[in-house]
Amino acid sequence: MALQVQNFARIIPLTVPFCRSFHQCQTLNQIQLLTRLRVVDNSPIGKEAMLEGRPPKCIHVYNKTGVGTIGDKVLVAIKGQKKKAVIIGCKQKQKPLIPKFDSNNIVLIEDNGSPIGTRIHVPMPSILRKILKDRSVAKKIDFTKLLSIATKFV
């Protein structure tokens, strides 16, 4: 026999499971659509967004799979604007010799690949040097400026 609760002249059966407000699947530790990210450079827009408690969200990942890893370019929504960013740290399981981070870290960049901020506050993986140098294109996108503003490498 199902229990019933009378609420404002409506009868609602209580056989509906109460776990609808809880997540029933494991959280995904990868960067995909609508993933919250952490800005780790000292760009003014990134500082404001992180201090307000409204971190940027991923809108698009610029690769074939749609899942971002270290060194991938992403489009993020931050403070009502669209900005491009480079992923420099991921929570997800990594290949050997690539460090795993506690948060999904990004650095905001302009369209030509130069960073918006002047300093990166977290250590960058040293494998990122090779990845970004391979993706840099002469006279178009130059990611080597990202490597020059990093303070530490892991």
Side-chain angles (χ1 to χ4, degrees):
M1 182 172 156
L3 296 174
Q4 294 181 350
V5 176
Q6 193 168 6
N7 187 7
F8 298 106
R10 287 191 331 194
I11 297 176
I12 303 170
L14 290 179
T15 56
V16 179
F18 287 106
C19 59
R20 286 189 182 178
S21 62
F22 300 107
H23 296 287
Q24 295 181 350
C25 62
Q26 182 180 353
T27 58
L28 298 174
N29 292 330
Q30 56 193 9
I31 297 176
Q32 58 188 11
L33 191 67
L34 296 179
T35 302
R36 290 183 183 179
L37 305 166
R38 179 178 161 219
V39 179
V40 294
D41 61 356
N42 64 346
S43 58
I45 190 169
K47 278 185 191 178
E48 285 180 28
M50 296 308 288
L51 287 175
E52 287 179 1
R54 297 186 56 146
K57 290 185 179 181
C58 177
I59 297 176
H60 182 73
V61 179
Y62 292 106
N63 64 12
K64 293 179 183 177
T65 61
V67 176
T69 58
I70 289 181
D72 285 340
K73 241 171 63 166
V74 292
L75 184 67
V76 297
I78 181 168
K79 305 261 311 158
Q81 301 175 17
K82 292 181 189 176
K83 295 283 183 184
K84 290 185 181 177
V86 174
I87 302 170
I88 63 166
C90 293
K91 274 180 148 179
Q92 67 187 6
K93 289 184 180 178
Q94 299 293 329
K95 295 177 183 175
L97 301 176
I98 299 178
K100 180 180 172 182
F101 287 83
D102 291 338
S103 59
N104 295 320
N105 300 331
I106 59 168
V107 175
L108 297 174
I109 59 172
E110 296 173 1
D111 291 335
N112 60 359
S114 61
I116 296 175
T118 57
R119 183 175 296 149
I120 298 175
H121 299 296
V122 298
M124 288 178 66
S126 57
I127 193 78
L128 198 59
R129 288 182 184 182
K130 181 181 179 296
I131 293 170
L132 292 180
K133 283 184 181 177
D134 291 344
R135 293 186 184 173
S136 293
V137 179
K139 295 184 180 177
K140 286 190 180 177
I141 297 177
D142 188 22
F143 290 122
T144 54
K145 293 177 185 174
L146 260 179
L147 301 173
S148 64
I149 65 170
T151 54
K152 297 178 188 173
F153 285 94
V154 177

